């Protein structure tokens, strides 16, 4: 409401405070960044949608811009992510490690291989849970944003201001510093898994809406 009423500073102050508060929760920073990306994507989609009368489609440019931020270690992290995704069949992964453990010739080597198995299995399970969470959050936010930005009880100008406000809200959430709960290689894996799952969820929602119409 503040943004639509052109109280931009007030709106940004409230949103910044909200992002910082949410980031304090467990995995809060990761979720705030995810929510920010969903808001940003939806705002760009609506502002560029021919259906909204606000311009030409710009979702491809948005996706490319976001993807470019992850390109520095893209090849390495992509290979790791693909290896992790392949290992999501947990039983197969466990069998592989058990075979390695069986080849251990010393108790120390056995302990090391067992620890490696447990770490990879845990990371794989967390990745599955995180991807599921991303899909659920994206689907829910998509529905909410659709209602807000296509609200026919307000005029086109108000809807456009809402979209610009959502875009700024997304930027504030994505820029929230916080203290990430995930670090190292896992952070990059989760970022890419979240990005892919988010885009796929939006794509499916759009296809469903197009089919319904």
């Amino acid at each position: 409401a503040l943004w639509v009423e052109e109280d931009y500073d007030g709106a940004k102050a409230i949103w910044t405070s909200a992002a910082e508060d949410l980031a304090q929760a467990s995995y809060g920073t990761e979720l705030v960044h995810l929510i920010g990306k969903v808001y940003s994507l939806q705002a760009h989609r609506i502002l560029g949608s021919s259906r909204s009368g606000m311009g030409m489609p710009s979702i491809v440019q948005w996706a490319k811009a976001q993807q470019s931020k992850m390109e520095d270690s893209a090849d390495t992290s992509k290979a790791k992510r693909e290896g992790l995704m392949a290992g999501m069949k947990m039983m197969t992964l466990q069998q592989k490690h058990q075979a390695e453990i069986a080849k251990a010739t010393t108790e120390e080597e056995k302990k090391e291989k067992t620890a490696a198995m447990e770490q990879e299995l845990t990371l794989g399970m967390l990745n599955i849970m995180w991807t599921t969470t991303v899909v659920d959050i994206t689907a829910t936010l998509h529905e909410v944003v659709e209602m807000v930005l296509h609200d026919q009880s307000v005029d086109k100008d108000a809807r456009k201001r809402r979209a610009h406000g959502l875009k700024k809200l997304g930027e504030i959430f994505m820029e929230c510093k916080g203290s990430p709960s995930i670090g190292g290689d896992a952070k990059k894996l989760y970022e890419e898994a979240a990005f892919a799952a988010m885009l796929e969820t939006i794509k499916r929602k759009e296809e469903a809406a197009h089919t319904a119409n």
Side-chain angles (χ1 to χ4, degrees):
L2 289 178
W3 188 275
V4 175
E5 295 169 359
E6 300 186 3
D7 182 0
Y8 303 128
D9 290 338
K12 287 187 285 187
I14 290 175
W15 295 340
T16 299
S17 177
E20 291 172 350
D21 288 343
L22 289 171
Q24 299 303 310
S26 178
Y27 291 89
T29 301
E30 289 79 11
L31 291 174
V32 167
H33 290 168
L34 167 63
I35 293 170
K37 287 180 180 178
V38 175
Y39 284 159
S40 178
L41 171 58
Q42 287 290 81
H44 276 78
R45 185 182 63 81
I46 293 298
L47 288 169
S49 171
S50 56
R51 180 163 61 95
S52 70
M54 297 178 189
M56 296 300 291
S58 59
I59 186 172
V60 173
Q61 288 87 340
W62 182 93
K64 286 181 178 179
Q66 291 299 311
Q67 187 64 33
S68 68
K69 296 178 182 179
M70 299 188 287
E71 283 182 351
D72 290 343
S73 57
D75 292 339
T76 300
S77 59
K78 181 180 179 182
K80 292 178 180 177
R81 177 166 56 85
E82 289 176 347
L84 179 60
M85 296 296 283
M88 281 186 177
K89 294 181 179 179
M90 306 303 286
M91 187 172 294
T92 301
L93 185 61
Q94 187 173 14
Q95 289 174 345
K96 182 193 75 173
H97 279 286
Q98 287 177 336
E100 290 295 320
I101 293 171
K103 296 177 183 177
T105 57
T106 66
E107 192 63 29
E108 185 64 27
E109 185 182 1
K110 183 177 180 180
K111 287 181 179 180
E112 290 178 358
K113 290 181 179 295
T114 299
M117 177 186 71
E118 292 174 348
Q119 181 178 12
E120 190 168 1
L121 288 174
T122 299
L123 186 58
M125 184 58 69
L126 287 174
N127 189 279
I128 294 172
M129 294 170 64
W130 175 242
T131 301
T132 301
T133 300
V134 169
V135 171
D136 288 344
I137 290 175
T138 301
T140 300
L141 292 178
H142 179 278
E143 297 298 330
V144 173
V145 170
E146 284 290 294
M147 289 189 289
V148 171
L149 298 187
H150 290 289
D151 181 7
Q152 297 302 306
S153 69
V154 298
D155 61 26
K156 174 184 170 182
D157 187 57
R159 293 196 299 274
K160 188 172 183 178
R161 288 200 299 272
R162 286 180 179 181
H164 281 291
L166 187 68
K167 179 173 176 287
K168 174 54 68 175
L169 174 58
E171 291 172 357
I172 288 173
F173 271 44
M174 287 191 292
E175 292 169 1
C176 178
K177 301 301 181 184
S179 299
S181 301
I182 306 170
D185 290 340
K187 181 176 184 294
K188 178 61 67 175
L189 292 173
Y190 285 137
E191 284 178 349
E192 294 192 352
F195 186 72
M198 180 190 68
L199 288 180
E200 180 62 21
T201 301
I202 295 295
K203 176 175 175 288
R204 290 181 180 178
K205 285 286 184 180
E206 290 301 296
E207 288 175 345
H210 180 73
T211 301
N213 291 332

